[in-house]
């Protein structure tokens, strides 16, 4: 039916009026303004990527996803999520880590196309650990997820100035 502003017409509504152009036929209706899709209803599917890094500086994201540390050292994971969509926004986020548990749950943040944001979590590591993070995003229409991992390897601690093993030679 005909209507305005998306309202549904009823049988009592008058038929649309046409301007006669002298051709004896009804002209095509005037073109409508193009409908620009709202970010959440874009035809572009929501896609995200996740980059998980690990380092020992609590104040910055590391640039690597593998490190070696002595047992008992604090490490800091950085989870950077990027909206890889051309037009779709990501508005609600969850982030789970298989070793650390829930990092973010129902976190509302409007992450526009091409934008990135990050979250961090720390842990004290006593044994070699590979942990896998999964990021989830939605905009109410589309859902997306991405996974990445980081590896922490334990190495023997060295004490500066401590003696090293020396092979003994028997005295004659």
């Amino acid at each position: 039916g005909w209507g305005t502003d998306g309202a549904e017409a009823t049988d009592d509504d008058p038929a649309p009026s046409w301007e006669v152009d002298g051709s004896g036929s009804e002209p095509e209706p005037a073109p409508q303004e193009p409908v620009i899709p709202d970010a959440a209803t874009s035809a572009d599917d929501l896609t995200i990527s996740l980059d998980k890094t690990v380092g020992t500086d609590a104040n910055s994201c590391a640039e690597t996803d593998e490190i070696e540390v002595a047992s008992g050292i604090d490490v800091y994971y950085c989870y950077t999520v990027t909206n890889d969509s051309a037009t779709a926004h990501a508005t609600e986020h969850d982030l789970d880590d298989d070793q650390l548990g829930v990092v973010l749950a129902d976190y509302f943040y409007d992450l526009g196309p091409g934008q990135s944001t990050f979250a961090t979590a720390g842990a004290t590591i006593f044994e070699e650990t590979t942990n896998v993070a999964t990021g989830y995003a939605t905009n109410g229409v589309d859902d997306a997820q991405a996974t990445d991992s980081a590896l922490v390897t334990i190495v023997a601690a060295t004490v500066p100035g401590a003696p090293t093993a020396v092979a003994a030679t028997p005295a004659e």
Side-chain angles (χ1 to χ4, degrees):
W2 291 93
T4 58
D5 297 324
E8 191 66 34
T10 67
D11 291 336
D12 297 333
D13 291 337
S17 61
W18 301 101
E19 185 176 312
V20 178
D21 64 2
S23 67
S25 63
E26 295 177 348
E28 293 294 316
Q32 299 291 317
E33 287 294 317
V35 176
I36 299 171
D38 165 292
T41 60
S42 168
D44 179 35
D45 290 334
L46 177 62
T47 56
I48 62 170
S49 58
L50 179 65
D51 183 30
K52 181 177 181 178
T53 60
V54 60
T56 57
D57 183 353
N59 297 311
S60 67
C61 288
E63 294 184 16
T64 184
D65 60 1
E66 294 183 15
I67 62 170
E68 295 179 344
V69 297
S71 181
I73 297 294
D74 291 337
V75 298
Y76 301 92
Y77 296 99
C78 182
Y79 310 85
T80 302
V81 64
T82 301
N83 180 346
D84 296 323
S85 306
T87 59
H89 285 237
T91 54
E92 184 179 344
H93 309 269
D94 294 318
L95 179 61
D96 297 326
D97 186 296
D98 72 338
Q99 300 295 313
L100 303 177
V102 175
V103 178
L104 293 175
D106 299 326
Y107 181 73
F108 290 92
Y109 179 77
D110 186 5
L111 188 63
Q115 294 180 328
S116 295
T117 190
F118 68 95
T120 60
T124 304
I125 302 296
F126 295 98
E127 61 188 9
E128 181 171 305
T129 304
T130 298
N131 53 348
V132 178
T134 304
Y136 304 91
T138 187
N139 58 20
V141 175
D142 292 319
D143 298 320
Q145 77 177 48
T147 302
D148 198 14
S149 63
L151 169 66
V152 179
T153 303
I154 302 300
V155 294
T158 57
V159 178
T164 57
V166 177
T169 56
E172 293 187 22

